[in-house]
Amino acid sequence: MIESQKPRVREAVSAELARSGARLAGFVLDMLCTSMLDLAEEFGAPSYIYFTSGAAFLRFQLHVQESHDEEGFDITEFKDAELACPGLTRPVPSKVIPSGFLNKEWVDLDSSTTITRNFRKTKGILVNTVRELESYALESLSGGMNIPKVYPVGPILNPESSSESSGSEEDEVMRWLDQQPESSVAFLCFGSMGGFCAEQVKEIACALEGSGHRFLWSLRRLEGGPALTPTTTDYGDVREVLPEGFADRTTEVGRVIGWAPQAVVLAHRSVGGFVSHCGWNSTLESMWFGVPMATWPMYAEQQFNAFLLVKELEIAAEIKMDYRTESGEIVSAEEIERGIRSLMEQNNPMKEKMKEFCDKVRGALMDGASSSSSIAEFIEDIKINYRSESGKIVTTEEVKRGTKSLMELAKQLDEGDDI
């Protein structure tokens, strides 16, 4: 599909250059659109990647590709074990490796490794993260190893985004939240592709009722059964799938809705916990508003994100780390209730830790702060990397790497090493 768009992109860029008389400084490509590198070459322009996940996952992806190319490592055969990975302080359990990496057909097509291999052909990678959040992972991405320069430019999100629902429905939700005590509501929301079958809905309902906590539950129907790339819709009438009498018994403490204005809800003072699918945007939004999380991943790299949140950063309670929509697994009410109770526990240390991350994430975008400086550095590097009519300009990073290698060689010579 991406390949088929090349003629359209070529035409659009050519038309814009002809219209404006501008000179092309570069292409910034989505992390899955690396086949467009060929097009950038045609225009004689450098390429950059915009990586929408975090730095730890980028390092994991590069490590898997490097191990595959240099050692013949087959990640599809990696089961019931742990993988040591640069950028993480703990080994990665095979159960949280994304399904796309474990799908034999996809790996045989060389799709994920080709995409990652192409990252290394670019001039830089913009990552939607914050240096203070993933300093360890970012450190492992610097200093050679054929990894382009990484720019942590996050958080890139829209904290004032509105919902897809009608205004009256959203207003009703917000009025209900206004009436709840501060930090008392558990918010359950699982993204645009996070839906549940009727059996799982009943388990969640029992857990919520058993926990005794106030809740706002964005409930979506899973269409067509378990799948690697699920689709969801709103239930016509949620009472049809909820346990009998549930809505009446919880009418004072809870609301079950369809699509939710996630960022608006997370910003509300009454929300004290977020049961999430751990998509990276949702993770950053939760940090932005300082709301602790409970993990229930669904698809893509969300299992990896859940591992990062629970084990590495220690700012989330675990409901599941290894759940996959395509598995058809039913998570028990007991597991869910235990996770919700842990999430909403008043003296849980992860609440204070999340507040610290909130300050770091917000502070990164201030003038002169880490992400603000990284964006400015990226703009300067665009100028340096610009290809003039006479040929390719050598980048600052290439000069730095060359100088470092030269100084190491000089040191060895000075010490009399036989090289």
Side-chain angles (χ1 to χ4, degrees):
M1 186 275 287
I2 295 167
E3 283 286 332
S4 71
Q5 299 304 309
K6 281 184 176 179
R8 296 171 185 240
V9 175
R10 182 185 294 110
E11 181 182 349
V13 174
S14 298
E16 174 60 23
L17 294 177
R19 184 198 65 78
S20 65
R23 297 163 70 186
L24 188 61
F27 277 64
V28 178
L29 305 173
D30 179 89
M31 58 195 271
L32 299 179
C33 297
T34 60
S35 61
M36 290 286 176
L37 283 168
D38 297 340
L39 206 56
E41 285 291 326
E42 287 183 28
F43 283 98
S47 293
Y48 306 86
I49 296 294
Y50 174 50
F51 195 81
T52 54
S53 297
F57 185 62
L58 171 61
R59 190 65 189 93
F60 169 80
Q61 199 168 327
L62 288 163
H63 178 65
V64 170
Q65 172 263 316
E66 184 179 38
S67 300
H68 173 274
D69 289 355
E70 296 185 3
E71 303 167 20
F73 174 61
D74 184 358
I75 197 168
T76 64
E77 301 296 327
F78 189 73
K79 297 173 182 175
D80 301 320
E82 294 182 324
L83 177 67
C85 178
L88 293 166
T89 62
R90 299 169 182 261
V92 180
S94 57
K95 66 181 183 179
V96 303
I97 293 173
S99 297
F101 286 78
L102 302 175
N103 186 302
K104 186 69 174 174
E105 182 181 353
W106 289 12
V107 172
D108 288 345
L109 288 170
D110 205 28
S111 56
S112 60
T113 49
T114 297
I115 287 171
T116 311
R117 201 178 292 124
N118 283 339
F119 289 175
R120 300 179 187 271
K121 299 177 183 178
T122 67
K123 287 294 182 185
I125 305 174
L126 298 144
V127 184
N128 190 10
T129 194
V130 174
R131 184 170 297 281
E132 292 80 0
L133 171 65
E134 294 192 275
S135 57
Y136 190 75
L138 288 164
E139 183 65 28
S140 76
L141 285 163
S142 63
M145 300 172 292
N146 193 29
I147 298 175
K149 188 172 182 177
V150 172
Y151 305 88
V153 295
I156 298 175
L157 48 80
N158 182 7
E160 298 177 358
S161 60
S162 61
S163 72
E164 293 183 4
S165 62
S166 65
S168 60
E169 183 181 355
E170 183 177 327
D171 290 344
E172 183 181 341
V173 169
M174 300 314 293
R175 279 196 297 271
W176 182 81
L177 286 173
D178 288 342
Q179 297 166 8
Q180 309 311 309
E182 186 172 350
S183 301
S184 66
V185 176
F187 176 41
L188 291 77
C189 189
F190 301 92
S192 57
M193 293 194 291
F196 299 103
C197 65
E199 185 180 357
Q200 184 65 79
V201 169
K202 288 180 172 58
E203 295 294 319
I204 298 172
C206 290
L208 286 169
E209 192 170 3
S211 75
H213 288 288
R214 291 174 170 82
F215 65 87
L216 178 64
W217 180 9
S218 173
L219 175 57
R220 309 269 286 174
R221 181 201 301 271
L222 184 63
E223 290 286 301
L228 199 60
T229 52
T231 57
T232 61
T233 59
D234 284 338
Y235 279 98
D237 183 358
V238 294
R239 288 175 179 265
E240 295 177 2
V241 291
L242 292 170
E244 186 176 351
F246 172 83
D248 295 330
R249 292 192 301 272
T250 60
T251 187
E252 296 297 322
V253 297
R255 285 288 185 276
V256 182
I257 60 175
W259 185 272
Q262 181 173 289
V264 176
V265 171
L266 287 172
H268 199 282
R269 60 165 186 80
S270 69
V271 175
F274 182 27
V275 180
S276 172
H277 62 304
C278 306
W280 192 245
N281 277 354
S282 295
T283 298
L284 290 176
E285 283 184 357
S286 198
M287 291 180 183
W288 181 267
F289 294 112
V291 179
M293 299 173 69
T295 62
W296 191 337
M298 301 278 164
Y299 48 86
E301 91 291 10
Q302 292 164 10
Q303 294 82 18
F304 183 95
N305 293 343
F307 168 76
L308 182 72
L309 292 167
V310 174
K311 299 298 185 181
E312 286 278 317
L313 301 179
E314 299 178 335
I315 54 172
E318 178 185 354
I319 292 177
K320 297 291 286 187
M321 280 198 304
D322 58 347
Y323 180 86
R324 301 171 194 269
T325 301
E326 72 269 21
S327 71
E329 176 189 358
I330 301 298
V331 183
S332 71
E334 290 76 18
E335 286 181 280
I336 302 165
E337 182 179 334
R338 187 164 53 248
I340 291 173
R341 286 182 179 276
S342 175
L343 172 67
M344 301 302 290
E345 185 183 336
Q346 287 301 316
N347 297 320
N348 196 321
M350 71 180 180
K351 290 182 180 288
E352 281 303 314
K353 201 163 186 181
M354 181 58 101
K355 287 180 182 177
E356 293 174 13
F357 276 118
C358 173
D359 293 338
K360 291 175 181 178
V361 166
R362 289 182 175 234
L365 294 175
M366 303 291 286
D367 286 346
S370 59
S371 291
S372 178
S373 298
S374 192
I375 293 168
E377 187 176 4
F378 169 62
I379 293 169
E380 287 303 311
D381 286 348
I382 286 177
K383 298 175 185 177
I384 295 170
N385 293 339
Y386 178 76
R387 290 186 178 188
S388 68
E389 293 179 4
S390 61
K392 179 180 177 182
I393 292 178
V394 179
T395 70
T396 304
E397 280 301 301
E398 288 168 330
V399 174
K400 286 180 180 176
R401 283 198 296 269
T403 305
K404 184 178 179 182
S405 298
L406 183 61
M407 295 305 291
E408 288 173 352
L409 178 60
K411 184 179 178 183
Q412 286 179 300
L413 285 169
D414 189 50
E415 292 173 351
D417 290 348
D418 183 16
I419 59 172

